[in-house]
Amino acid sequence: MDRSRWERIQDIFHRLSDMPLPAQHEYLEAAGDVDEAMKAEVRAMLREDSSAASLLDDEGLPHAVQDLIDQHAAFKENAFGPYRIVKPLGEGGMGVVYLAKREDIGSVVAIKLLRDGLLSPDRRNRFLAEQRTLAQLEHPLIARIHDADTLDDGTPWFAMEYVDGKPITEYCREHACSINERLLLFRSVCEAVQYAHRHAIIHRDLKPSNILVRDDGTVKLLDFGIAKQLEGSGIRVEHTLTGLSPMTLPYASPEQIRGGALGTQTDVYSLGVILYELLAGRLPFDFAELSLAEAQKMILEHEPAPPSTARTGKAAWDELDVLTLTAMHKDVLRRYPSVEALIRDIDHYLKAEPLEARPDSVSYRLGKFVVRNRRVLTATAAVCAIVLGLVVFFVLRLNRARNDAVAEATRTHRIERFMLTLFDGGDKSAGPSDSLRAATLLDRGVASARSLNAEPAVQAELYQTLGNMYQKLGKYDQADPLLRSALDRRKSIEGADGPDVAEGLVALGLLRLDEGRLAEAERLAREGLAIDRRRVPANPLAVAKDESALGHVLEERGAYDEAAKLLNEAVQVQSATHEVTTDLSDTTTLLANVNYYQSHLAAADSLFRQALAMDRELFGDVHPRIADDYYGLGLVQHAMNRDAEAERDYRHALAIKQSWYGKVHPDTALIMAAVGQSLVYQGKYDEAAPILQEALAIQEQIFGKVHPQVAQALNVVAVMEVKRGHLAEAEADFRRMAAINRATLGDRHQLVGIALLGLGDVYAEEKQNVRAEKSYRDALARLVGQLPAGHPTIAATRLRLGHTLVLERQYQEAASQLLAGYDVLSKQPGPPSPRVQTARKDLVTAYEALGQVDEANRFRKDPSR
């Protein structure tokens, strides 16, 4: 079959595949430019598509697609970068999908190849849009993109996360999932969609086949190929035979059918249909005998029967009917306004609490209370009467409390501050928070805060507090709308330059820092600081807190000089009160970190010890903050070549972290690896090896095989193997580390440079000087682009490269590299390290070879120059 004929066949197939059967027949017969043989091929593909055969079964592939795969040169020549093709998986709307394996790190991916990338600009553009959209979405429930490139002929491809699972409806059916189990799976789907909406992306084609569930019950959302950025213009959808319809008819919203502008509530509607199918076991409408026009009319004009009509059982079907039909209401204004609102009502149902979609009434709330407390209420009629009376009392009391919110502002503020200390540890009697109860409490707090629209100042304060709490729990998606809402309300009350607006800007900036959005974090922190500095009279403590926040952001961005200046100013102001506070401890710790990164090790050591003393006064001797202080001290001791002292500090930190979090926790594994590293640098390899291997295993258990934390643990293991002389094992570990960091952080990241630096050390030990030189140069190119000038890691890399160049008799460049590195590392406190001593000898050799005797003598006679 020639390519153009196949392109025509597959184009018709993709247009018909989502239509009802009568419409497929109607359209196919009306296509006058399609001969009978082509129609027969299309019908065969449609029959295959509607069968239950797995896409993982090669025999389930349409023959024409298999022919195309067999003919494609890329399949035979392995032209997909580091990926080796294993087998074809199937065909999608835009291309062929392969199962592939990356040998260096052992990961398995799905590679998507655009079949007609050169012939169809529209399809190629959609393919590239899919690639860009997926790259923005990093969420555990959304299939990630790992790599992208083009073949020699210009055909684009990308490697994405391979998901071995079943459509959510099929999974629930095969596992006979209960109503609650189905709702929990569906809630996970909603979380993934909500994350995409937070990033201004709507899916537009949500359906069970795009929602796979693995055997372990984890959900993955697929196929953002037709997703749309919300800030774009209104989306118009065509439904002609010549158009590509970005939807699947049974799950399409009325606004999609009409071709109107779409938004997040379009996805809410599709989620409602999926929920209906999960609960009822069938779709809300039967299109089996309808033409396309009739099917569209049914969606637009007919109301579906409640899902309860298809089921029998003890579930609270009136609640489920309300929840489902509200999600798929034809009127956008009467639909759930967001996926977040849908999630809230799912949670309300699971907790037997009143739904927000139900009309509120005392009797309804009392009924929900009875359901939640049935066992207690049935004990005696007397208890029932007492409890019901209390419920009525508190419902009325809550109504009065809302009217008195302003008068109670002081008390509310006191309660908020107390709640914050449960997360910060400010209350000395408080132990680790129960995160489940905390999350439940926060969810209820948000629901209560939303009822205070008449009191925007109080509502803003509550939103700010609750957003900060969600942030401390790592729930950034839930913190974001609260902090933004608090900021908006404060701007409407105070104008753009109010003191509370400054606080809100800085708080949002620190959230952006946690999210890794550093440029936006810096902009917001600078705006907040500028407002507080302009105030007359200025509030010194508010300015100091803003400076500390901005210093934190600048530290993460590597702007150490400006960060140090701001943090020093903040420490001076916060110290002037002569009171030990968490703000002062936080700023001191940040300043210690900056001094460590600037190689001001004596200052860093002193500051970490000051922070440790303050944290002990605030929190006692056993607290995660104490462990963090000891970890910082260990880093400084290691940098000063005092690894016995570093080991002592690390072991203090490890004991505390393990007592709070147990062994299987990222903080515990991180410090465990640090203990192992300190043993390696003391030459205690047999003692270090099992500790490092255990730390690596914990990281892999928590994060999986491909994660930057795993790469960091591999680095320490590989360094140990070099020192033990196990060079083959070290090379394998460094290569795996480089591959992980490339896959997760990008090729130019500094941590890729660290891995290449390690590979250079392996080659140097093997006397492969040419390979060592190349690896050191590649490492240096990445480190110089990421780290500030004068960073000790850059200096150490220059010394390694210079030593290799001396061995290769490239003396002129060797002297330049050695001198640049020596000028940094020779000024560090403590005795000269072995690398500095070697550098001095290399400089003597280089200058003598260049005939510069005076320079050679300076390094020979005067170690400090």
Side-chain angles (χ1 to χ4, degrees):
M1 180 183 297
D2 64 72
R3 184 180 180 90
S4 61
R5 184 177 178 83
W6 163 240
E7 297 297 341
R8 178 63 174 143
I9 289 174
Q10 61 89 25
D11 188 51
I12 296 172
F13 164 73
H14 290 304
R15 291 167 182 165
L16 300 183
S17 60
D18 288 332
M19 295 182 183
L21 290 176
Q24 291 176 355
H25 176 75
E26 175 185 327
Y27 274 17
L28 190 57
E29 292 304 314
D33 61 336
V34 181
D35 60 42
E36 289 302 320
M38 292 172 69
K39 291 179 181 178
E41 188 69 42
V42 172
R43 292 190 187 98
M45 293 170 68
L46 289 170
R47 285 195 299 273
E48 190 68 44
D49 183 60
S50 63
S51 72
S54 170
L55 285 176
L56 300 181
D57 180 2
D58 288 351
E59 297 178 358
L61 293 172
H63 296 300
V65 177
Q66 189 64 60
D67 291 342
L68 183 65
I69 294 171
D70 292 340
Q71 293 168 12
H72 207 294
F75 186 74
K76 296 186 177 70
E77 297 171 5
N78 193 30
F80 300 101
Y83 302 99
R84 179 179 61 82
I85 299 299
V86 177
K87 65 176 181 178
L89 290 178
E91 59 162 337
M94 296 161 57
V96 179
V97 183
Y98 301 129
L99 180 69
K101 185 175 183 181
R102 183 164 180 164
E103 296 291 353
D104 50 2
I105 58 177
S107 61
V108 176
V109 300
I111 287 184
K112 193 167 188 178
L113 170 69
L114 182 61
R115 288 194 296 267
D116 54 351
L118 293 177
L119 300 178
S120 173
D122 181 60
R123 290 197 173 196
R124 185 172 185 179
N125 288 337
R126 286 185 61 203
F127 182 92
L128 295 174
E130 179 172 6
Q131 172 190 325
R132 289 192 297 270
T133 302
L134 279 172
Q136 297 178 54
L137 301 178
E138 295 188 7
H139 189 277
L141 304 181
I142 297 177
R144 284 194 61 193
I145 185 170
H146 293 304
D147 206 347
D149 206 342
T150 59
L151 302 179
D152 292 340
D153 64 2
T155 303
W157 63 269
F158 68 82
M160 59 190 295
E161 181 179 357
Y162 169 63
V163 182
D164 185 8
K166 295 182 179 179
I168 186 169
T169 47
E170 183 179 337
Y171 177 90
C172 290
R173 183 171 59 253
E174 291 185 1
H175 289 75
C177 294
S178 67
I179 293 296
N180 281 11
E181 288 170 340
R182 292 171 191 243
L183 285 172
L184 288 171
L185 282 175
F186 178 73
R187 190 189 189 284
S188 296
V189 178
C190 292
E191 286 183 4
V193 177
Q194 181 187 21
Y195 172 84
H197 289 181
R198 295 270 186 249
H199 288 72
I201 294 170
I202 54 175
H203 191 288
R204 299 199 292 165
D205 193 29
L206 292 167
K207 54 187 174 183
S209 61
N210 283 338
I211 304 165
L212 299 187
V213 186
R214 294 187 173 122
D215 288 340
D216 63 1
T218 57
V219 172
K220 282 285 183 179
L221 182 57
L222 313 179
D223 198 0
F224 274 83
I226 60 168
K228 179 68 178 179
Q229 293 281 349
L230 286 174
E231 63 266 23
S233 59
I235 304 163
R236 307 296 298 184
V237 181
E238 301 294 335
H239 299 288
T240 64
L241 187 58
T242 59
L244 290 171
S245 170
M247 65 176 187
T248 302
L249 188 62
Y251 304 91
S253 66
E255 57 267 28
Q256 284 178 289
I257 301 295
R258 288 190 295 265
L262 309 185
T264 57
Q265 286 171 292
T266 303
D267 283 348
V268 171
Y269 181 93
S270 299
L271 288 169
V273 179
I274 295 167
L275 178 59
Y276 189 110
E277 191 172 2
L278 285 171
L279 297 175
R282 59 171 173 79
L283 286 164
F285 298 112
D286 182 4
F287 299 145
E289 304 299 326
L290 303 181
S291 66
L292 177 61
E294 290 171 335
Q296 293 174 336
K297 184 176 181 181
M298 177 168 284
I299 292 175
L300 292 172
E301 299 179 5
H302 293 260
E303 296 295 336
S308 59
T309 59
R311 291 277 187 172
T312 58
K314 296 181 179 179
W317 275 104
D318 55 338
E319 302 288 314
L320 294 174
D321 287 345
V322 169
L323 201 157
T324 306
L325 297 179
T326 301
M328 55 181 296
H329 204 290
K330 299 184 190 304
D331 184 350
V332 173
L333 296 178
R334 298 183 64 184
R335 208 176 294 164
Y336 282 111
S338 65
V339 179
E340 181 186 6
L342 174 57
I343 292 174
R344 287 200 307 272
D345 258 1
I346 293 171
D347 290 342
H348 289 320
Y349 174 84
L350 293 172
K351 298 172 187 176
E353 296 173 349
L355 300 186
E356 295 176 19
R358 283 291 297 265
D360 200 3
S361 67
V362 172
S363 60
Y364 175 59
R365 289 186 175 274
L366 290 178
K368 298 307 295 180
F369 182 88
V370 171
V371 171
R372 294 198 302 273
N373 299 276
R374 179 175 287 112
R375 292 182 181 178
V376 175
L377 296 177
T378 55
T380 64
V383 172
C384 181
I386 293 171
V387 172
L388 288 175
L390 286 173
V391 171
V392 172
F393 170 78
F394 280 114
V395 167
L396 296 175
R397 181 68 177 270
L398 285 173
N399 288 333
R400 288 196 299 271
R402 183 170 64 181
N403 296 329
D404 296 336
V406 175
E408 293 290 327
T410 302
R411 179 174 176 272
T412 301
H413 185 77
R414 173 73 172 168
I415 293 172
E416 290 163 8
R417 294 297 167 222
F418 169 75
M419 292 173 69
L420 276 174
T421 62
L422 297 180
F423 294 94
D424 285 336
D427 183 351
K428 297 179 182 179
S429 65
S433 66
D434 179 337
S435 60
L436 177 62
R437 289 189 177 183
T440 303
L441 185 63
L442 290 179
D443 292 343
R444 291 176 178 174
V446 171
S448 298
R450 287 197 174 95
S451 68
L452 296 174
N453 290 329
E455 304 295 343
V458 176
Q459 189 177 57
E461 179 69 18
L462 284 170
Y463 280 163
Q464 174 96 26
T465 300
L466 293 165
N468 288 337
M469 290 179 174
Y470 275 123
Q471 183 179 350
K472 292 174 189 298
L473 290 176
K475 297 176 178 285
Y476 303 144
D477 288 346
Q478 291 166 271
D480 179 81
L482 291 168
L483 293 180
R484 285 190 289 108
S485 295
L487 180 59
D488 290 343
R489 280 155 179 75
R490 287 171 168 176
K491 284 181 177 179
S492 68
I493 297 169
E494 301 178 351
D497 286 336
D500 291 336
V501 171
E503 181 187 11
L505 286 166
V506 172
L508 190 57
L510 291 175
L511 175 64
R512 295 291 178 261
L513 178 64
D514 284 347
E515 293 173 325
R517 298 159 64 177
L518 301 185
E520 188 178 355
E522 181 178 346
R523 177 183 63 79
L524 290 164
R526 287 190 185 278
E527 286 182 17
L529 174 58
I531 291 172
D532 275 334
R533 281 177 170 172
R534 288 195 298 266
R535 291 179 59 201
V536 179
N539 181 341
L541 288 176
V543 171
K545 192 165 186 176
D546 296 345
E547 288 175 334
S548 180
L550 179 56
H552 189 186
V553 175
L554 293 172
E555 174 218 323
E556 292 291 331
R557 301 205 76 178
Y560 299 130
D561 290 342
E562 186 181 359
K565 180 177 181 295
L566 286 166
L567 292 168
N568 272 308
E569 292 174 1
V571 165
Q572 290 177 10
V573 172
Q574 292 167 340
S575 301
T577 64
H578 303 291
E579 181 183 356
V580 175
T581 64
T582 55
D583 286 346
L584 177 58
S585 171
D586 288 340
T587 307
T588 303
T589 300
L590 290 171
L591 187 57
N593 286 330
V594 169
N595 276 272
Y596 168 75
Y597 290 127
Q598 290 179 307
S599 297
H600 302 160
L601 299 181
D605 183 79
S606 174
L607 289 164
F608 276 126
R609 293 185 189 281
Q610 291 176 39
L612 175 61
M614 285 186 278
D615 286 337
R616 275 182 170 152
E617 182 176 340
L618 290 167
F619 309 118
D621 290 328
V622 182
H623 190 277
R625 290 177 66 122
I626 304 295
D628 292 337
D629 295 330
Y630 274 120
Y631 179 67
L633 285 169
L635 291 174
V636 173
Q637 300 306 316
H638 171 69
M640 297 173 72
N641 302 310
R642 299 172 180 168
D643 283 289
E645 291 84 349
E647 179 192 352
R648 177 200 62 206
D649 291 332
Y650 288 148
R651 288 192 183 275
H652 275 307
L654 180 61
I656 294 172
K657 290 285 188 180
Q658 199 162 313
S659 70
W660 275 67
Y661 301 128
K663 268 196 173 183
V664 184
H665 189 278
D667 283 8
T668 304
L670 175 69
I671 299 177
M672 189 181 294
V675 171
Q677 182 188 50
S678 67
L679 292 169
V680 168
Y681 280 88
Q682 294 177 73
K684 301 177 181 178
Y685 305 132
D686 291 341
E687 187 178 351
I691 294 175
L692 291 176
Q693 292 296 343
E694 183 177 11
L696 175 60
I698 293 171
Q699 299 282 30
E700 289 180 334
Q701 180 181 346
I702 295 170
F703 299 111
K705 296 287 187 180
V706 182
H707 192 279
Q709 290 290 94
V710 173
Q712 184 176 344
L714 279 168
N715 182 44
V716 184
V717 173
V719 169
M720 177 187 68
E721 300 295 8
V722 171
K723 291 182 177 294
R724 297 172 82 181
H726 300 169
L727 299 182
E729 292 86 346
E731 180 177 359
D733 287 337
F734 279 129
R735 287 190 177 279
R736 185 183 168 204
M737 173 189 173
I740 291 172
N741 286 332
R742 280 194 179 100
T744 56
L745 303 172
D747 179 65
R748 305 306 298 176
H749 197 277
Q750 67 191 56
L751 292 180
V752 176
I754 297 296
L756 295 173
L757 180 60
L759 279 173
D761 289 344
V762 172
Y763 299 142
E765 289 290 326
E766 294 174 337
K767 311 302 182 188
Q768 299 186 56
N769 293 330
V770 175
R771 295 184 74 184
E773 178 194 346
K774 182 181 185 306
S775 195
Y776 288 145
R777 288 189 188 278
D778 289 344
L780 192 60
R782 288 161 175 81
L783 296 173
V784 169
Q786 293 275 321
L787 298 175
H791 195 280
T793 303
I794 294 177
T797 306
R798 292 191 187 279
L799 294 188
R800 288 171 165 92
L801 177 58
H803 179 72
T804 304
L805 292 171
V806 167
L807 295 176
E808 295 179 311
R809 300 184 179 181
Q810 300 181 47
Y811 297 119
Q812 190 68 53
E813 186 184 359
S816 175
Q817 296 287 356
L818 288 165
L819 189 58
Y822 184 85
D823 281 343
V824 173
L825 295 183
S826 64
K827 296 183 174 88
Q828 290 188 324
S833 68
R835 196 172 300 282
V836 169
Q837 295 173 2
T838 300
R840 190 181 303 126
K841 295 175 183 178
D842 287 336
L843 282 164
V844 171
T845 301
Y847 282 128
E848 284 184 339
L850 293 169
Q852 300 178 30
V853 179
D854 290 343
E855 287 298 314
N857 287 336
R858 289 177 61 187
F859 285 99
R860 181 182 290 112
K861 297 176 182 178
D862 184 6
S864 64
R865 288 181 59 215

